[in-house]
Amino acid sequence: MQYPGFAPRDIAGHRRVGSVAARAARVLTRLLARTTVTGRERVPEGPVVFAPYHASMLDPVVVGIAVWRQGRMPHFLAKDSLFTGPLGRLLKAMGQIPVLRASALAGDSLQYGKQALEAGESVVIYPQGTLTKDPELWPQRSKTGAARLAIEAGVPVVPVAHWGLDPILPVGGKVPRPHPFSRVRVSFCEPLAPPVPSVSAGHSGPAQTRRFADRITAAIAAELAELRGVPLPERFRPDLEPQEDV
């Protein structure tokens, strides 16, 4: 599997191809629905890990455009099966990062994500790793990849929530249905600073990483509740605040 480089020349190439793809994607999304983005002022300067809600096959396009409009090239960690054919060539040209699922090399993608962050770029990683299967479309418990990447790179995580795609592409749907007068809302949450690894251990422990991953999930759920105008389920509340590591 070919991984992207993040030298200055590579990044310039990613941005050239990305600008063309972003313009085309914006035309597509405008035909499907109206999109509003809030919370732009919450995104800090410098490299960040964006951790979005994942409930639709369309949301990478919507989230990617929202990140692009921040003046950032979004580098998604995406399943390796997408990196074939014309789409695969486009993803590679934009510096997207393949994830070899169920493989001993699956962790390599985090190392390339770390390289992107060290080069000052922004990485997008879905905490769940797949579409939510929750019947009420709340985020499911996250994997620890986004938390690990942020802790190891020492960069903040910006959770991202969105709502409004279901009328356009319902769960299980294959073909989008235009709803040009409906509204899709994307919201950047307050950034979450990663915990400082234990001095004695020299790295973050599994429990510390797990707590941070749960906090990311809870932040996404809280913002999603605001967008939906419904109460936040109680199961997310204990993880909203940072916990002291002992």
Side-chain angles (χ1 to χ4, degrees):
M1 178 60 65
Q2 180 182 357
Y3 288 96
F6 294 100
R9 179 179 296 182
D10 298 320
I11 292 171
H14 301 160
R15 289 181 176 273
R16 282 194 299 271
V17 178
S19 65
V20 175
R23 286 195 293 269
R26 288 190 70 178
V27 171
L28 171 64
T29 56
R30 284 171 178 168
L31 293 174
L32 294 175
R34 292 183 294 173
T35 302
T36 58
V37 181
T38 57
R40 293 187 182 96
E41 72 285 352
R42 298 171 176 170
V43 181
E45 296 292 331
V48 298
V49 173
F50 289 98
Y53 170 64
H54 199 15
S56 169
M57 297 298 290
L58 282 178
D59 63 49
V61 178
V62 171
V63 170
I65 292 173
V67 172
W68 177 262
R69 289 172 65 184
Q70 290 286 108
R72 299 165 181 262
M73 180 68 213
H75 296 279
F76 282 80
L77 270 71
K79 59 185 180 181
D80 64 297
S81 60
L82 296 175
F83 289 77
T84 59
L87 174 60
R89 290 192 291 272
L90 177 62
L91 294 176
K92 292 172 185 175
M94 291 193 297
Q96 308 308 308
I97 302 169
V99 179
L100 300 174
R101 292 180 174 177
S103 164
L105 299 177
D108 287 1
S109 59
L110 292 183
Q111 293 307 310
Y112 283 91
K114 188 175 178 181
Q115 287 183 23
L117 295 168
E118 290 171 346
E121 294 293 279
S122 299
V123 172
V124 185
I125 176 170
Y126 285 102
Q128 296 174 157
T130 187
L131 297 169
T132 181
K133 304 298 191 300
D134 184 89
E136 296 183 345
L137 297 181
W138 292 104
Q140 292 178 282
R141 196 182 196 211
S142 297
K143 301 180 186 299
T144 59
R148 285 173 54 201
L149 181 58
I151 292 171
E152 291 179 11
V155 303
V157 174
V158 176
V160 185
H162 59 80
W163 191 250
L165 284 170
D166 190 59
I168 302 162
L169 188 64
V171 175
K174 300 294 185 182
V175 180
R177 301 179 300 190
H179 282 256
F181 298 108
S182 66
R183 187 175 298 277
V184 176
R185 292 173 294 162
V186 181
S187 181
F188 294 110
C189 306
E190 292 287 350
L192 303 178
V196 178
S198 167
V199 174
S200 59
H203 58 82
S204 61
Q208 186 183 48
T209 303
R210 178 72 261 167
R211 284 193 292 271
F212 189 48
D214 291 341
R215 189 177 171 212
I216 293 169
T217 303
I220 294 171
E223 193 71 14
L224 184 63
E226 290 289 331
L227 294 178
R228 295 172 66 171
V230 299
L232 176 68
E234 288 298 324
R235 65 181 181 273
F236 294 109
R237 295 188 182 278
D239 297 314
L240 281 176
E241 298 299 328
Q243 300 178 17
E244 293 294 330
D245 291 305
V246 295

